[in-house]
């Protein structure tokens, strides 16, 4: 782990996002912390990379965001 001041906050959010997506049957294999956002000395939390997904996963995301199950 790095010494970025927002490490714990970013990791907790990443875990919460994985859990929320999983509750809708959605897995984003590339979901992770964006490592390049650690390279600068910014006061803001690191970015979370959502990654790529296939059409089926994209449709599940649309349904989940629209409030469907």
């Amino acid at each position: 782990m790095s010494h970025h001041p927002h490490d714990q906050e970013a990791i907790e959010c990443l875990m919460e996002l994985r859990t929320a997506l999983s509750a809708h049957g959605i897995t984003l294999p590339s979901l992770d912390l964006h490592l390049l956002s650690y390279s600068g000395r910014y006061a803001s939390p690191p970015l979370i990379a959502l990654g790529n997904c296939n059409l089926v996963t994209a449709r599940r995301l649309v349904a989940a965001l629209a409030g469907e199950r």
Side-chain angles (χ1 to χ4, degrees), residues 23-42:
H24 289 279
I26 300 168
T27 301
L28 296 176
S30 302
L31 182 64
D32 208 346
L33 296 177
H34 184 258
L35 296 180
L36 293 178
S37 63
Y38 279 101
S39 64
R41 298 274 184 215
Y42 303 108

Side-chain angles (χ1 to χ4, degrees), residues 1-37:
M1 184 181 296
S2 76
H3 298 290
H4 194 285
H6 294 281
D7 268 343
Q8 192 60 39
E9 179 184 4
I11 291 168
E12 286 173 7
C13 185
L14 179 65
M15 301 291 279
E16 290 172 13
L17 183 55
R18 276 193 181 127
T19 300
L21 289 168
S22 179
H24 289 279
I26 300 168
T27 301
L28 296 176
S30 302
L31 182 64
D32 208 346
L33 296 177
H34 184 258
L35 296 180
L36 293 178
S37 63

Side-chain angles (χ1 to χ4, degrees), residues 33-62:
L33 296 177
H34 184 258
L35 296 180
L36 293 178
S37 63
Y38 279 101
S39 64
R41 298 274 184 215
Y42 303 108
S44 59
L47 299 173
I48 294 177
L50 299 177
N52 300 322
C53 66
N54 61 29
L55 183 60
V56 172
T57 302
R59 295 245 182 248
R60 286 185 180 149
L61 280 169
V62 168

